[in-house]
Amino acid sequence: MATRRLYYEDSFLKEFTARVVYCEVLPPDVKGGIPGTAWGLLLDRTAFYPTSGGQPHDLGKIGDANVLDVRDEGEEILHVVDRRPADPDVDCCIHWPRRFDHMQQHTGQHLLSAMSQERSGRCTV
């Protein structure tokens, strides 16, 4: 089932509700910064932005669980959390200061790239 990506509909959405459609225990990922047990959740919909296009993933809460990573898995978005939610219907909250900072930096990079291209003919790679 494809995850509905709410961040495409409203990039300023800070809170939303969702349903956990799949939950599995994940092995530790020391390289990924997750040294202990974590859970991978698939939600029916999400406003959590995954790492993509040079922009880091969102953090926040899914129920009582802390979001450690958000991964784009093609049709689905995998949310890596520190505990299994107690209920399949969850209230979710984006860590807004982090999201807004990344949005501003991302926009700023596009502006600098456009200026560089226009003024000197050099592209950002």
Side-chain angles (χ1 to χ4, degrees), residues 55-56 95-108:
Q55 189 167 334
H95 182 269
W96 185 248
R98 175 182 165 99
R99 159 72 76 82
F100 191 65
D101 183 51
H102 291 158
M103 287 170 64
Q104 288 181 316
Q105 290 182 42
H106 190 82
T107 300

Side-chain angles (χ1 to χ4, degrees), residues 2-20:
T3 306
R4 181 175 167 199
R5 299 170 189 236
L6 300 173
Y7 49 83
Y8 286 148
E9 299 169 26
D10 182 357
S11 60
F12 288 88
L13 186 63
K14 299 173 188 166
E15 296 179 355
F16 64 100
T17 59
R19 181 173 255 299
V20 177

Side-chain angles (χ1 to χ4, degrees), residues 102-121:
H102 291 158
M103 287 170 64
Q104 288 181 316
Q105 290 182 42
H106 190 82
T107 300
Q109 177 60 47
H110 280 288
L111 291 171
L112 287 171
S113 295
M115 296 264 317
S116 176
Q117 173 69 31
E118 181 182 308
R119 303 278 170 119
S120 66

Side-chain angles (χ1 to χ4, degrees), residues 5 7-8 49-57 70 72 106:
R5 299 170 189 236
Y7 49 83
Y8 286 148
Y49 191 81
T51 300
S52 176
Q55 189 167 334
H57 62 83
V70 184
D72 190 332
H106 190 82

